[in-house]
Amino acid sequence: MAALINVPSKARRGDIIEIRTLTSHIMETGFRHTADGALVPRDIITSFTCRYNGTEIFRADLFQAIAANPYLSFFTVAKDSGKFEFEWIGDNGYASTASASITVE
Amino acid sequence: MPTTRRQFLSLAGGATAAGAIPIVTLQPLEATPAMLSAAIRNVVGEAPVRTGKVKLDIPPLVENGNTVPMTVSVASPLTANDYVKSIHVFNEKNPQPNIGNFYLNPSSGRAQVSTRIRLADTQKVVAIARLSDDTFWQAAADVVVTLAACTEEMN
């Protein structure tokens, strides 16, 4: 699935940087009914993880109250050049990953 | 003929005796304040929750409950032994009370998380932060919602 990742490509060591992620997902709550009364089954992303050069720096448990196409923004300290890896896990075996790299001077 | 409680119980008892335990799943219509406090107790346990340190930024009036921007920030020095462990956000009247749990660490740089949420009704949103010394701090905000989310019919 498509994900939009916003990480500064360059930072100075020790800078506080913002990471913004947006992924496309319906986030069906499981509380809605179709016009003929059938319950629409739940289909949501339940977990998001961000790793920075292999170390987990941010994790989130998501529930039905998170809007469709989950957006998350959080912060971290730029330590070393390297890679951010993002992982979304959800219902029905849903799994999606993305990555972004940063140069730290 | 309407089924009386007595008949229902004896039926249920009979089914249990026969080895088939009836499983009744009730889909809650909305998180009542009792569900809200139960969800909070689930996270904080018996610990007291003090007001302060947490800032919950959410519009007081939203037209569309389907995407409500929300930012939670916590006043913390974020040092190795004084930082924010996690931020938990709850609602009062959605079909279920949790919104999200966010786990931070000393190198988060800034204890702030933003996302977009759904609100099914005009209600209270509560954000609770767990600090590294296992104290809990909260902030609450009331949001008026004109168009509800979550339970609308699918077209």
Side-chain angles (χ1 to χ4, degrees):
Chain A
M1 270 300 177
L4 278 177
I5 307 293
N6 193 318
V7 176
S9 54
K10 272 186 181 178
R12 280 175 310 182
R13 197 172 306 273
D15 275 359
I16 295 171
I17 56 169
E18 183 178 18
I19 297 171
R20 289 178 289 162
T21 71
L22 180 72
T23 192
S24 93
H25 194 285
I26 180 173
M27 294 296 278
E28 184 59 59
T29 58
F31 294 111
R32 299 197 305 154
H33 292 84
T34 56
D36 48 358
L39 190 69
V40 184
R42 190 183 101 157
D43 182 12
I44 66 165
I45 292 177
T46 50
S47 160
F48 168 80
T49 313
C50 174
R51 293 185 195 87
Y52 183 13
N53 287 336
T55 308
E56 179 184 300
I57 56 159
F58 179 80
R59 181 165 56 87
D61 304 328
L62 309 182
F63 296 87
Q64 289 100 314
I66 299 289
N69 304 323
Y71 166 79
L72 281 168
S73 136
F74 50 95
F75 293 82
T76 194
V77 176
K79 285 183 175 160
D80 298 294
S81 297
K83 204 165 144 191
F84 287 97
E85 288 168 297
F86 306 89
E87 186 178 35
W88 295 263
I89 290 172
D91 291 339
N92 309 317
Y94 178 88
S96 161
T97 56
S99 64
S101 51
I102 187 169
T103 309
V104 177
E105 290 156 349
Chain B
M1 189 187 81
T3 315
T4 63
R5 181 171 168 272
R6 195 174 294 258
Q7 281 169 328
F8 175 74
L9 285 178
S10 74
L11 262 177
T16 314
I21 300 160
I23 299 167
V24 182
T25 345
L26 288 177
Q27 193 75 266
L29 261 184
E30 56 182 36
T32 58
M35 271 174 73
L36 171 67
S37 53
I40 292 174
R41 283 295 149 215
N42 242 339
V43 169
V44 308
E46 295 303 311
V49 181
R50 278 171 280 180
T51 301
K53 293 197 192 221
V54 180
K55 188 163 166 270
L56 173 58
D57 257 321
I58 191 164
L61 170 74
V62 295
E63 267 183 30
N64 186 341
N66 276 307
T67 41
V68 184
M70 176 195 83
T71 298
V72 184
S73 46
V74 186
S76 162
L78 288 171
T79 57
N81 41 24
D82 187 358
Y83 62 96
V84 178
K85 269 188 183 169
S86 57
I87 295 171
H88 308 266
V89 191
F90 305 93
N91 67 73
E92 191 182 15
K93 290 182 182 169
N94 278 6
Q96 62 85 41
N98 297 84
I99 291 177
N101 303 324
F102 309 97
Y103 302 91
L104 312 182
N105 57 65
S107 62
S108 290
R110 187 179 301 167
Q112 180 177 319
V113 175
S114 305
T115 186
R116 294 177 194 143
I117 68 169
R118 286 180 175 128
L119 292 172
D121 202 347
T122 293
Q123 59 183 301
K124 187 165 78 174
V125 175
V126 182
I128 294 180
R130 177 187 200 139
L131 304 191
S132 48
D133 58 0
D134 285 326
T135 55
F136 293 91
W137 298 83
Q138 72 163 0
D142 290 298
V143 185
V144 175
V145 179
T146 7
L147 175 66
C150 298
T151 44
E152 78 275 23
E153 245 185 25
M154 205 162 146
N155 294 312

